[in-house]
mmCIF file of all heavy atoms in Angstrom:
data_model
loop_
_atom_site.group_PDB
_atom_site.id
_atom_site.type_symbol
_atom_site.label_atom_id
_atom_site.label_comp_id
_atom_site.label_asym_id
_atom_site.label_seq_id
_atom_site.Cartn_x
_atom_site.Cartn_y
_atom_site.Cartn_z
ATOM 1 N N MET A 1 -3.867 -25.574 -2.113
ATOM 2 C CA MET A 1 -2.991 -24.669 -1.356
ATOM 3 C C MET A 1 -3.798 -23.459 -0.909
ATOM 4 O O MET A 1 -4.087 -22.579 -1.703
ATOM 5 C CB MET A 1 -1.795 -24.237 -2.207
ATOM 6 C CG MET A 1 -0.837 -23.299 -1.478
ATOM 7 S SD MET A 1 0.522 -22.759 -2.527
ATOM 8 C CE MET A 1 1.483 -24.252 -2.602
ATOM 9 N N THR A 2 -4.230 -23.429 0.342
ATOM 10 C CA THR A 2 -5.072 -22.324 0.796
ATOM 11 C C THR A 2 -4.551 -21.655 2.055
ATOM 12 O O THR A 2 -4.997 -20.577 2.405
ATOM 13 C CB THR A 2 -6.507 -22.816 1.071
ATOM 14 O OG1 THR A 2 -6.469 -23.860 2.053
ATOM 15 C CG2 THR A 2 -7.154 -23.333 -0.204
ATOM 16 N N GLY A 3 -3.630 -22.282 2.802
ATOM 17 C CA GLY A 3 -3.185 -21.727 4.071
ATOM 18 C C GLY A 3 -2.241 -20.551 3.897
ATOM 19 O O GLY A 3 -1.458 -20.493 2.951
ATOM 20 N N TRP A 4 -2.331 -19.607 4.831
ATOM 21 C CA TRP A 4 -1.465 -18.435 4.817
ATOM 22 C C TRP A 4 -0.725 -18.337 6.146
ATOM 23 O O TRP A 4 -1.323 -18.447 7.209
ATOM 24 C CB TRP A 4 -2.286 -17.161 4.604
ATOM 25 C CG TRP A 4 -2.858 -17.069 3.224
ATOM 26 C CD1 TRP A 4 -4.041 -17.587 2.784
ATOM 27 C CD2 TRP A 4 -2.246 -16.442 2.085
ATOM 28 N NE1 TRP A 4 -4.218 -17.315 1.457
ATOM 29 C CE2 TRP A 4 -3.145 -16.610 0.998
ATOM 30 C CE3 TRP A 4 -1.054 -15.743 1.887
ATOM 31 C CZ2 TRP A 4 -2.866 -16.106 -0.278
ATOM 32 C CZ3 TRP A 4 -0.783 -15.249 0.627
ATOM 33 C CH2 TRP A 4 -1.671 -15.437 -0.443
ATOM 34 N N ASN A 5 0.568 -18.133 6.061
ATOM 35 C CA ASN A 5 1.394 -17.928 7.240
ATOM 36 C C ASN A 5 1.370 -16.437 7.569
ATOM 37 O O ASN A 5 1.829 -15.612 6.787
ATOM 38 C CB ASN A 5 2.824 -18.393 6.963
ATOM 39 C CG ASN A 5 3.748 -18.143 8.123
ATOM 40 O OD1 ASN A 5 3.311 -18.080 9.273
ATOM 41 N ND2 ASN A 5 5.034 -17.990 7.829
ATOM 42 N N VAL A 6 0.810 -16.083 8.720
ATOM 43 C CA VAL A 6 0.685 -14.681 9.108
ATOM 44 C C VAL A 6 1.801 -14.314 10.068
ATOM 45 O O VAL A 6 2.012 -14.985 11.082
ATOM 46 C CB VAL A 6 -0.685 -14.403 9.763
ATOM 47 C CG1 VAL A 6 -0.809 -12.926 10.125
ATOM 48 C CG2 VAL A 6 -1.815 -14.817 8.835
ATOM 49 N N ARG A 7 2.530 -13.246 9.742
ATOM 50 C CA ARG A 7 3.629 -12.816 10.589
ATOM 51 C C ARG A 7 3.488 -11.322 10.888
ATOM 52 O O ARG A 7 2.907 -10.575 10.107
ATOM 53 C CB ARG A 7 4.987 -13.083 9.918
ATOM 54 C CG ARG A 7 5.181 -14.523 9.484
ATOM 55 C CD ARG A 7 6.644 -14.869 9.284
ATOM 56 N NE ARG A 7 7.337 -14.043 8.330
ATOM 57 C CZ ARG A 7 7.458 -14.346 7.032
ATOM 58 N NH1 ARG A 7 6.882 -15.427 6.546
ATOM 59 N NH2 ARG A 7 8.141 -13.561 6.213
ATOM 60 N N TRP A 8 4.050 -10.909 12.019
ATOM 61 C CA TRP A 8 4.048 -9.510 12.449
ATOM 62 C C TRP A 8 5.502 -9.056 12.584
ATOM 63 O O TRP A 8 6.076 -9.100 13.670
ATOM 64 C CB TRP A 8 3.320 -9.362 13.781
ATOM 65 C CG TRP A 8 1.876 -9.744 13.724
ATOM 66 C CD1 TRP A 8 1.346 -10.990 13.561
ATOM 67 C CD2 TRP A 8 0.764 -8.860 13.830
ATOM 68 N NE1 TRP A 8 -0.013 -10.947 13.565
ATOM 69 C CE2 TRP A 8 -0.407 -9.648 13.732
ATOM 70 C CE3 TRP A 8 0.633 -7.482 14.016
ATOM 71 C CZ2 TRP A 8 -1.677 -9.107 13.793
ATOM 72 C CZ3 TRP A 8 -0.634 -6.943 14.088
ATOM 73 C CH2 TRP A 8 -1.773 -7.743 13.966
ATOM 74 N N PRO A 9 6.120 -8.632 11.498
ATOM 75 C CA PRO A 9 7.546 -8.254 11.554
ATOM 76 C C PRO A 9 7.790 -7.094 12.518
ATOM 77 O O PRO A 9 6.940 -6.225 12.714
ATOM 78 C CB PRO A 9 7.855 -7.836 10.115
ATOM 79 C CG PRO A 9 6.788 -8.491 9.288
ATOM 80 C CD PRO A 9 5.574 -8.485 10.150
ATOM 81 N N GLU A 10 8.985 -7.102 13.093
ATOM 82 C CA GLU A 10 9.389 -6.037 13.997
ATOM 83 C C GLU A 10 10.571 -5.283 13.403
ATOM 84 O O GLU A 10 11.117 -5.659 12.371
ATOM 85 C CB GLU A 10 9.738 -6.619 15.371
ATOM 86 C CG GLU A 10 8.560 -7.305 16.055
ATOM 87 C CD GLU A 10 8.927 -7.843 17.426
ATOM 88 O OE1 GLU A 10 10.129 -7.820 17.762
ATOM 89 O OE2 GLU A 10 8.010 -8.277 18.148
ATOM 90 N N GLY A 11 10.976 -4.219 14.072
ATOM 91 C CA GLY A 11 12.089 -3.415 13.594
ATOM 92 C C GLY A 11 11.605 -2.109 13.004
ATOM 93 O O GLY A 11 10.407 -1.798 12.992
ATOM 94 N N SER A 12 12.539 -1.332 12.504
ATOM 95 C CA SER A 12 12.199 -0.033 11.917
ATOM 96 C C SER A 12 11.474 -0.220 10.592
ATOM 97 O O SER A 12 11.474 -1.316 10.002
ATOM 98 C CB SER A 12 13.469 0.782 11.699
ATOM 99 O OG SER A 12 14.255 0.190 10.677
ATOM 100 N N VAL A 13 10.873 0.856 10.102
ATOM 101 C CA VAL A 13 10.239 0.801 8.789
ATOM 102 C C VAL A 13 11.268 0.456 7.724
ATOM 103 O O VAL A 13 10.992 -0.311 6.794
ATOM 104 C CB VAL A 13 9.548 2.142 8.472
ATOM 105 C CG1 VAL A 13 9.056 2.181 7.022
ATOM 106 C CG2 VAL A 13 8.373 2.364 9.417
ATOM 107 N N ALA A 14 12.483 0.979 7.857
ATOM 108 C CA ALA A 14 13.550 0.664 6.901
ATOM 109 C C ALA A 14 13.876 -0.821 6.941
ATOM 110 O O ALA A 14 14.027 -1.468 5.895
ATOM 111 C CB ALA A 14 14.790 1.489 7.216
#
Side-chain angles (χ1 to χ4, degrees):
M1 180 182 287
T2 58
W4 291 87
N5 177 26
V6 182
R7 306 200 303 268
W8 297 69
E10 298 181 352
S12 68
V13 172

